[in-house]
Amino acid sequence: MPSFEKYLTKVDVNKQVAIPSDFVQHLPDYEGGRTITFPVHDISGKVWENFGYYIRKGDDYPKPVFQKDWRKYVRDKHLRPGDKIIFRVEQNGANGAPIYTIAAQKKIKLLGFTIWSYV
């Protein structure tokens, strides 16, 4: 199942999160010039109906980014720079359609140990 993990930066948390360019092939078809929205399920069972991505122009090469419900997800999960997300594409067992899932982890220091906790 296709997936990627990312440690969040300040820009990721405050605006939009850049996603790996080679991961776009696993997302709904990009129609150019506008944001494509699709539902994303988090590990708590909540569905984010308007997760969106577009391909930012400029720089030396185009860069795909998540936006729209991404910002709501960040606020809801109280994410900060250094936290981690795991984004996956799974298959619906009934019809084989893609199901997009996201999970977030926060770093917790406890008794001198660092552990990651899902939020």
Side-chain angles (χ1 to χ4, degrees):
M1 100 184 88
S3 66
F4 73 88
E5 296 182 4
K6 181 168 187 187
Y7 292 94
L8 301 176
T9 67
K10 187 176 179 180
V11 171
D12 296 333
V13 169
N14 292 327
K15 190 173 180 183
Q16 58 196 11
V17 62
I19 60 177
S21 296
D22 60 350
F23 194 78
V24 170
Q25 67 184 320
H26 304 293
L27 297 174
D29 289 337
Y30 184 68
E31 298 171 9
R34 65 185 195 97
T35 300
I36 302 299
T37 59
F38 56 98
V40 174
H41 303 251
D42 72 20
I43 62 170
S44 73
K46 183 172 182 175
V47 179
W48 302 86
E49 293 291 343
N50 291 306
F51 231 80
Y53 87 97
Y54 81 104
I55 299 177
R56 188 179 69 207
K57 303 291 186 216
D59 299 327
D60 293 331
Y61 60 95
K63 189 72 173 168
V65 295
F66 283 148
Q67 57 175 197
K68 293 206 171 212
D69 273 0
W70 164 252
R71 291 288 305 125
K72 293 177 184 175
Y73 181 77
V74 167
R75 283 191 301 271
D76 187 72
K77 301 298 181 184
H78 305 285
L79 298 179
R80 300 194 185 293
D83 292 342
K84 180 168 76 170
I85 60 165
I86 301 122
F87 192 90
R88 286 184 227 170
V89 183
E90 301 175 11
Q91 296 295 316
N92 181 324
N95 63 14
I99 298 172
Y100 303 98
T101 64
I102 191 168
Q105 292 183 314
K106 290 186 142 308
K107 189 186 317 186
I108 299 172
K109 295 201 179 228
L110 183 65
L111 300 172
F113 295 96
T114 300
I115 59 172
W116 289 90
S117 176
Y118 284 99
V119 292

